Amino acid sequence: MAHQSELIASDIHAYLKTQEEKGMLRFITCGSVDDGKSTLIGRLLWDSKMVFEDQLAALEADSRRVGTQGEKVDYALLLDGLQAEREQGITIDVAYRFFSTDKRKFIVADTPGHEQYTRNMVTGASTAQVAVILIDARKGVLTQTRRHSYLVSLVGIRHVILAINKMDLVDYSAERFSAIRQEYENFAAGLGFDQIAAIPISALEGDNVLTRSDKTPWHQGPTLMEYLETVQVADAAVRKPFRMRVQWVNRPNLDFRGFCGTIASGAVRPGDDVVVTSSGQVSRVKRIVTMDGDLEKAVAGQAVTLTLADEIDISRGDTLASSDERPYHADRLEAKVVWMHEEPLAPGRSYLLKAGSSTAPAQVVELKFKVNVNSLRQESGETLELNEVGVCTFSLDRPVSFDSYRENRGTGNFILIDRFTNATVGAGMIHQPLLQSAGDQWSKINVDRQARAERKGQKPRILWFSGPEGVDLPAIAALVEKRLHSLGRHTYLLDGANLNRALNADADTAGGNGGEQIRRVAEVARLFAEAGLVVLTSCASSGEDVQLAREVLAGEVFTEIFVDIPPEASGRQGAADGVDAIFISDVRRSGEDLAEEIVRKIGFSAKV
């Protein structure tokens, strides 16, 4: 077996002891497709002698079979384990590998470069301390280079290695290296990196990876491994205030109740005061329990069980925090979101916001702006598409505890889950709370139309369905309501036939006068609009009736939806689709198609 230390064969305990005493660095490799990320990590593993003999034999056989590097060993095959990855020569999934040197231990995440798999790249970056951003020396800075650099800054990584790869294909040109370095530094000036270390390398040939290359005498900086072994990355989480989200309440018998979780930040000792952030109750840590016995101190990253001096109410999802430095606890917040799903983000739609072990229904109230990853400029937009980044405001059904992501990566992040498909659709980094919990601010809130509408994340609106006899307006209106509900809108359907049997049972309709019925339905619709709802009314009403409804509902956002007959055939006044009227002329289609067209014309696929 090839191995790094002779101690593995001669004294395994001494070897393990040396490993325990080394520091750990987590880093990622990222960049555009075919920039050589997998090859670089394969080279690091190879040169660090962390490839076992059976892996070596398999690698040599796979290299001959794949043939992408001719007679040479294809180091990328050490990382690309999926069949699709080997066939296409790209990385799809995140691959984590451990290796060590005399000075440090490393966990490296090989992340995909294709835009389609940006979500996997963000996953790998979320726990990294250093990013190695690769650039093909022949191609220079590409869009995906900019995108990954922005995402790296977004997740809080402050140390970047700009590894300009494939220098052997540009004759180790110092001018080419300098030009790429300058272009990248100009772009990254606003990303907030503490350090950008540019290194010319050839991952395939091993130049400046572990050993200094005699082909780049003009490079006076460190090799890639020298930098990784010496970069000083402060373990900031330990110096933050204590935070632990409760993952499980351990109750094996009547005499023991412990709260299990991984410490997200800070340290805790027996005797420390901690607060349950949801209730504000304070208690004192009694014991720190582990499988190997009680501890005198536990720090960020350790999974422990805490017992408290007082019997207070604590459940899964609650956060235990330092009583002196408490996190935010709010039901409205602003956050930066990376969208990860083919179906766009829909403001107003309800998602599940999962922060640690705490989950709460949440709505995107507003997309404030999108970020152009090429220019880093803010752009307006109605929704976020796959791989886009934007700043959104959220309204939650109940308060959750969090810190700003800039202050604490461990408690400032969340993921968004689609409530219907259960798919993870977005990742968020919290900026700040927008409002303290309603319990603290209740006296300042006027519960009026605006407050009710803001709570629902929508604007009240009245959709008045009309059409000639023979058109099944209640069925069409019901399908439209079903579609709106799937988009997260809060709706109510006023069925004209039912209202006429109840509310309008005593209305005077002598002489064909249905004006009183229309007036009553319109007034009911107004009341539901006051509640912040999107109201749908299905009445087989004439043009005069609709005009009456318009007059009664003056001041409301009112839209007539006339089904079947074009305006010129119906004798109505006014043009076709307009500000307050939509005409659907082909009822031969399925009800679902009609509902989809109506919703699209109204504009409910975007923010209302």
Side-chain angles (χ1 to χ4, degrees):
M1 181 184 77
H3 55 71
Q4 181 194 24
S5 173
E6 295 298 330
L7 285 177
I8 295 178
S10 60
D11 190 345
I12 187 63
H13 294 289
Y15 172 77
L16 294 176
K17 183 64 176 176
T18 61
Q19 293 296 310
E20 286 181 1
E21 295 172 351
K22 292 179 186 175
M24 172 72 78
L25 181 74
R26 302 178 70 105
F27 69 97
I28 63 166
T29 59
C30 52
S32 190
V33 176
D34 204 27
D35 279 348
K37 299 179 291 297
S38 299
T39 302
L40 175 62
I41 299 177
R43 168 64 74 172
L44 284 171
L45 296 174
W46 176 273
D47 290 352
S48 302
K49 299 182 180 179
M50 296 300 292
V51 180
F52 294 92
E53 290 179 353
D54 58 337
Q55 291 177 313
L56 173 60
L59 178 62
E60 291 175 340
D62 289 342
S63 299
R64 287 193 296 271
R65 180 173 55 81
V66 176
T68 52
Q69 298 298 335
E71 296 299 322
K72 298 179 181 178
V73 174
D74 187 351
Y75 299 108
L77 298 180
L78 279 171
L79 279 299
D80 293 340
L82 299 177
Q83 183 67 26
E85 291 179 325
R86 296 188 168 202
E87 289 176 354
Q88 302 178 57
I90 63 172
T91 301
I92 296 174
D93 200 1
V94 183
Y96 295 92
R97 289 292 185 275
F98 169 85
F99 68 97
S100 66
T101 66
D102 291 339
K103 298 180 180 178
R104 217 170 208 174
K105 295 181 290 187
F106 301 94
I107 293 178
V108 54
D110 180 28
T111 62
H114 198 284
E115 181 178 352
Q116 179 183 355
Y117 304 110
T118 297
R119 73 197 80 177
N120 295 346
M121 180 269 166
V122 175
T123 301
S126 61
T127 57
Q129 299 160 295
V130 174
V132 180
I133 297 177
L134 277 91
I135 292 179
D136 188 328
R138 301 168 300 171
K139 302 175 183 175
V141 178
L142 303 176
T143 298
Q144 198 67 344
T145 311
R146 297 187 183 94
R147 182 189 303 276
H148 281 190
S149 298
Y150 178 71
L151 293 174
V152 162
S153 72
L154 202 63
V155 300
I157 297 175
R158 293 292 173 261
H159 297 272
V160 166
I161 301 173
L162 185 66
I164 301 177
N165 191 23
K166 304 185 182 182
M167 290 298 296
D168 54 311
L169 300 182
V170 295
D171 297 328
Y172 299 94
S173 169
E175 291 74 19
R176 181 61 179 158
F177 173 79
S178 297
I180 295 174
R181 176 181 185 171
Q182 188 61 52
E183 181 183 359
Y184 183 82
E185 289 180 345
N186 291 340
F187 162 76
L191 294 181
F193 294 134
D194 292 339
Q195 186 178 31
I196 300 175
I199 303 174
I201 66 170
S202 171
L204 188 63
E205 302 296 337
D207 295 305
N208 291 328
V209 178
L210 260 71
T211 58
R212 190 171 298 276
S213 173
D214 57 5
K215 299 168 185 171
T216 56
W218 41 267
H219 175 62
Q220 302 302 314
T223 65
L224 178 62
M225 183 54 75
E226 287 172 350
Y227 183 89
L228 291 172
E229 285 183 330
T230 57
V231 61
Q232 296 299 313
V233 180
D235 191 0
V238 176
R239 293 184 282 107
K240 301 292 183 183
F242 170 69
R243 305 280 189 265
M244 189 184 90
R245 284 170 168 152
V246 177
Q247 296 173 314
W248 180 42
V249 179
N250 188 7
R251 183 79 169 173
N253 55 60
L254 294 177
D255 300 322
F256 185 91
R257 187 165 72 119
F259 308 102
C260 311
T262 299
I263 299 176
S265 65
V268 65
R269 298 174 179 81
D272 287 353
D273 287 340
V274 294
V275 62
V276 184
T277 57
S278 59
S279 64
Q281 292 182 290
V282 177
S283 184
R284 182 166 293 120
V285 176
K286 187 176 180 182
R287 295 172 56 196
I288 304 175
V289 181
T290 72
M291 287 289 292
D292 299 322
D294 288 7
L295 299 178
E296 292 300 317
K297 178 183 178 182
V299 300
Q302 286 185 281
V304 296
T305 298
L306 303 182
T307 63
L308 304 182
D310 304 292
E311 292 291 334
I312 58 178
D313 182 18
I314 303 175
S315 303
R316 171 181 163 82
D318 281 338
T319 298
L320 298 177
S322 167
S323 59
D324 297 330
E325 298 177 278
R326 306 185 183 194
Y328 299 115
H329 190 67
D331 54 9
R332 290 175 65 86
L333 57 89
E334 179 183 281
K336 194 165 286 179
V337 174
V338 181
W339 197 247
M340 299 178 169
H341 200 268
E342 289 78 8
E343 185 173 343
L345 175 147
R349 181 172 174 177
S350 180
Y351 298 95
L352 292 178
L353 186 149
K354 183 174 177 58
S357 52
S358 177
T359 303
Q363 281 186 327
V364 179
V365 177
E366 180 187 14
L367 171 60
K368 299 185 71 174
F369 58 84
K370 299 196 291 188
V371 179
N372 185 316
V373 297
N374 290 317
S375 63
L376 302 184
R377 292 179 179 173
Q378 298 178 6
E379 297 178 347
S380 60
E382 297 293 326
T383 186
L384 284 180
E385 303 290 340
L386 176 66
N387 296 325
E388 287 190 323
V389 181
V391 173
C392 304
T393 58
F394 288 87
S395 175
L396 282 64
D397 280 11
R398 60 181 176 80
V400 297
S401 300
F402 57 85
D403 294 284
S404 73
Y405 188 81
R406 179 171 290 276
E407 295 296 325
N408 196 325
R409 290 175 69 179
T411 53
N413 62 73
F414 62 84
I415 61 172
L416 286 177
I417 300 171
D418 188 296
R419 301 188 69 172
F420 300 101
T421 65
N422 213 30
T424 299
V425 294
M429 281 65 72
I430 300 173
H431 287 175
Q432 58 190 352
L434 294 179
L435 187 68
Q436 293 298 318
S437 63
D440 297 333
Q441 301 287 329
W442 66 271
S443 59
K444 299 180 181 178
I445 298 175
N446 294 321
V447 184
D448 53 12
R449 168 193 284 245
Q450 182 178 357
R452 295 186 182 99
E454 286 183 355
R455 175 65 70 181
K456 295 175 175 60
Q458 63 185 21
K459 293 179 180 178
R461 193 165 183 172
I462 297 173
L463 308 179
W464 194 282
F465 286 76
S466 63
E469 293 184 3
V471 177
D472 193 353
L473 293 176
I476 296 173
L479 287 171
V480 173
E481 185 187 33
K482 185 176 180 181
R483 179 59 180 143
L484 292 176
H485 183 77
S486 72
L487 293 174
R489 309 297 174 183
H490 296 259
T491 62
Y492 197 85
L493 173 61
L494 296 176
D495 185 291
N498 289 335
L499 289 175
N500 288 339
R501 285 194 293 269
L503 178 71
N504 288 327
D506 61 343
D508 180 11
T509 59
N513 180 15
E516 175 59 16
Q517 292 183 341
I518 294 299
R519 189 194 66 78
R520 293 185 182 189
V521 173
E523 290 293 350
V524 173
R526 185 198 299 280
L527 292 175
F528 278 101
E530 285 287 334
L533 298 172
V534 176
V535 188
L536 303 91
T537 65
S538 56
C539 300
S541 44
S542 66
E544 290 76 14
D545 292 338
V546 176
Q547 183 58 36
L548 174 60
R550 278 199 177 95
E551 294 172 1
V552 173
L553 294 170
E556 299 288 347
V557 180
F558 177 94
T559 301
E560 179 192 3
I561 300 172
F562 186 79
V563 183
D564 193 20
I565 301 177
E568 59 275 14
S570 70
R572 299 286 181 86
Q573 299 296 318
D577 297 352
V579 174
D580 64 350
I582 293 173
F583 290 86
I584 306 297
S585 58
D586 186 0
V587 295
R588 291 170 297 181
R589 292 173 291 166
S590 69
E592 288 77 8
D593 287 345
L594 287 174
E596 190 67 41
E597 181 181 349
I598 292 169
V599 170
R600 179 177 55 76
K601 284 190 171 183
I602 296 170
F604 271 117
S605 58
K607 183 179 62 176
V608 292

